[in-house]
C-alpha cells in the first residue's frame, strides 16, 4: 500500500514526483558505510582541483530548525519538537546552485514548489578546506620557527 510506481520512479510512503527513488521518513542499510558513486578517472574529463574551499565553506550558513506545522501535517514521519541540522536551500543555492533543485512537491496551502538540496559538496569542500588550512598551518609553523631562530640569535648577542 505504501509503494508507488510512476513512470520509472519509485516512491516508498510517498509518490515519487522528481527523483528516481523517494522515501517518506527515514531509510537505512544493514551496515555502516556510504552510498557509492562511480568516480573512476577513466570516466572523467576537465578535472580540476577544488580551490578556495575555505571561502566557500565559510559562505554556507549551517542551521538547525523545526519543520512547520503545515509541513509536518503532510509528512507524518517528521518528528514533532525535533530539531534538524541542515542548510536553507535558497541560501545554499547562492554558493552551490547546481546542488539545489525543485522537489516536485508544492507547499501546503500554495506558495510554490519546495526546494531540496544535496549537501554532498559540503563533504568535498570541507575536506579541501582542511587541506588548505593544513598548508597554511605548515607555512605559519615555518615562519614561526624562523622568527624564533632570529630571536634566539638576537638574545645571544
Amino acid at each position: 500500500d505504501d509503494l508507488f510506481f510512476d513512470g520509472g520512479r519509485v516512491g516508498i510512503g510517498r509518490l515519487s514526483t522528481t527523483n528516481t527513488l523517494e522515501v517518506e521518513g527515514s531509510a537505512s542499510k544493514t551496515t555502516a558505510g556510504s552510498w557509492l558513486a562511480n568516480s573512476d578517472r577513466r570516466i572523467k574529463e576537465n578535472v580540476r582541483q577544488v580551490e578556495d574551499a575555505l571561502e566557500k565553506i565559510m559562505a554556507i550558513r549551517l542551521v538547525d530548525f523545526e519543520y512547520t506545522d503545515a509541513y509536518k501535517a503532510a509528512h507524518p514521519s517528521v518528528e514533532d519538537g525535533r530539531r534538524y541540522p541542515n542548510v536553507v536551500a535558497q541560501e545554499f543555492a547562492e554558493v552551490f546552485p547546481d546542488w539545489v533543485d525543485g522537489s516536485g512537491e508544492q507547499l501546503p496551502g500554495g506558495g510554490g514548489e519546495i526546494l531540496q538540496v544535496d549537501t554532498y559538496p559540503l563533504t568535498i569542500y570541507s575536506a579541501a578546506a582542511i587541506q588548505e588550512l593544513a598548508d597554511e598551518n605548515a607555512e605559519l609553523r615555518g615562519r614561526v620557527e624562523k622568527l624564533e631562530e632570529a630571536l634566539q640569535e638576537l638574545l645571544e648577542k
Side-chain angles (χ1 to χ4, degrees):
D1 290 340
D2 288 341
L3 192 58
F4 303 95
F5 298 95
D6 180 35
R9 295 186 301 253
V10 177
I12 301 173
R14 65 182 278 156
L15 182 63
S16 178
T17 57
T18 299
N19 302 296
T20 304
L21 173 65
E22 293 189 24
V23 177
E24 171 67 36
S26 299
S28 67
K29 304 183 296 173
T30 56
T31 62
S34 300
W35 294 99
L36 300 177
N38 291 343
S39 190
D40 191 298
R41 178 182 326 158
R42 298 169 297 174
I43 62 173
K44 297 177 181 183
E45 60 185 15
N46 301 321
V47 176
R48 297 182 305 213
Q49 180 150 338
V50 171
E51 294 181 352
D52 302 318
L54 184 59
E55 182 180 326
K56 282 214 179 216
I57 289 297
M58 294 303 292
I60 300 295
R61 184 169 70 115
L62 304 171
V63 300
D64 71 0
F65 59 92
E66 295 180 26
Y67 283 101
T68 64
D69 289 338
Y71 190 78
K72 288 186 289 189
H75 298 277
S77 63
V78 176
E79 295 177 34
D80 194 35
R82 179 176 178 179
R83 298 196 63 80
Y84 291 86
N86 207 325
V87 296
V88 175
Q90 289 85 345
E91 296 172 5
F92 197 73
E94 294 174 14
V95 181
F96 294 110
D98 295 336
W99 297 89
V100 177
D101 204 356
S103 67
E105 181 181 356
Q106 297 297 313
L107 280 169
E113 185 176 27
I114 294 173
L115 298 177
Q116 56 185 211
V117 299
D118 181 347
T119 56
Y120 178 71
L122 291 179
T123 301
I124 298 302
Y125 277 80
S126 293
I130 290 169
Q131 291 173 338
E132 289 175 7
L133 290 171
D135 289 344
E136 182 180 333
N137 191 31
E139 178 197 339
L140 292 173
R141 282 181 188 213
R143 289 174 62 189
V144 166
E145 287 174 9
K146 287 180 182 177
L147 289 171
E148 287 175 341
E149 289 171 7
L151 179 60
Q152 188 62 36
E153 287 178 17
L154 287 173
L155 293 174
E156 291 174 358
K157 288 183 181 183

